[in-house]
Amino acid sequence: MLTIHVCEASPEAAVVVDGALLAAVGPYEALAADHPRARVRRWPGILTPGLLNPYGPELLEQAYHPDPREADRLGTEPVFGERAQALLAANASARGASARRGVQRMLAHGTVAVAGELRGRAALDAVRGAGLAVAARPATLPGPASFSPVPLVLLPALAPGRAARFAVFDVPDRAALVREGAGTCVATVVGGRLVYRGR
């Protein structure tokens, strides 16, 4: 079934998703007229090609993402450094579970691609399992590892025939996205599937 995704602040940049691919990109009114039987998903904010997070190894292999049941002891934010390494080495399943939670946090920040050389099977499996694209790492990294890196790296423009991979941010425009960061993500689609939905 075809699905049209349209955002309040960017109706000129709607998309039609057909399975795992983008069938069409353009103004909502035109897409709705061309595909009258398509299901319509309406979102606040703007629709973007999604973000590249250049900190794949740092966030998925060098950080420990606490399980919600560990929040009272470890908090809810990623743990870095020697403490993270000790937690990751605690048992065989710790690395995989942490990497999967890290990928979920990336998806919640509009990430649809990661960069950096992932060496461990746990992180590679988590990235592949979520359908995230793997891209080349920028030559220089701007600062510490973050789910909302500064500057944000948007992927190339959406086009028919490409993978249905994009993110929606509850902001009025791209300038606001840059100011407010990736924490404004309300939806992430990878491979045509809604893999994150906020609020």
Side-chain angles (χ1 to χ4, degrees), residues 9-30:
S10 62
E12 74 288 348
V15 296
V16 178
V17 175
D18 185 4
L21 299 176
L22 293 174
V25 177
Y28 169 70
E29 296 298 334

Side-chain angles (χ1 to χ4, degrees), residues 2-84:
L2 298 178
T3 303
I4 298 174
H5 292 263
V6 59
C7 294
E8 292 172 3
S10 62
E12 74 288 348
V15 296
V16 178
V17 175
D18 185 4
L21 299 176
L22 293 174
V25 177
Y28 169 70
E29 296 298 334
L31 296 182
D34 290 345
H35 306 282
R37 292 197 169 125
R39 175 177 56 175
V40 177
R41 284 193 183 260
R42 297 181 186 279
W43 303 102
I46 62 171
L47 191 145
T48 72
L51 302 177
L52 165 72
N53 191 307
Y55 296 105
E58 291 82 359
L59 291 172
L60 300 178
E61 294 182 324
Q62 298 168 22
Y64 179 78
H65 300 276
D67 184 288
R69 296 169 293 191
E70 299 172 309
D72 59 334
R73 185 169 57 93
L74 299 173
T76 58
E77 294 301 310
V79 177
F80 291 92
E82 291 179 15
R83 188 170 187 202

Side-chain angles (χ1 to χ4, degrees), residues 123-146:
L124 287 167
D125 287 349
V127 166
R128 287 186 193 123
L132 292 174
V134 178
R137 193 170 197 166
T140 59
L141 296 176
S146 172

Side-chain angles (χ1 to χ4, degrees), residues 97-190:
S98 175
R100 287 188 299 278
R101 290 188 296 270
V103 164
Q104 286 302 313
R105 291 188 73 158
M106 286 182 163
L107 294 171
H109 285 81
T111 298
V112 298
V114 296
E117 185 179 352
L118 297 171
R119 297 174 187 214
R121 183 178 180 111
L124 287 167
D125 287 349
V127 166
R128 287 186 193 123
L132 292 174
V134 178
R137 193 170 197 166
T140 59
L141 296 176
S146 172
F147 291 106
S148 185
V150 178
L152 295 175
V153 182
L154 283 170
L155 292 179
L158 300 170
R162 288 190 181 164
R165 182 182 295 131
F166 55 90
V168 176
F169 297 91
D170 190 3
V171 292
D173 53 37
R174 285 192 178 190
L177 173 58
V178 170
R179 280 192 315 275
E180 297 178 34
T184 59
C185 181
V186 293
T188 304
V189 172
V190 175

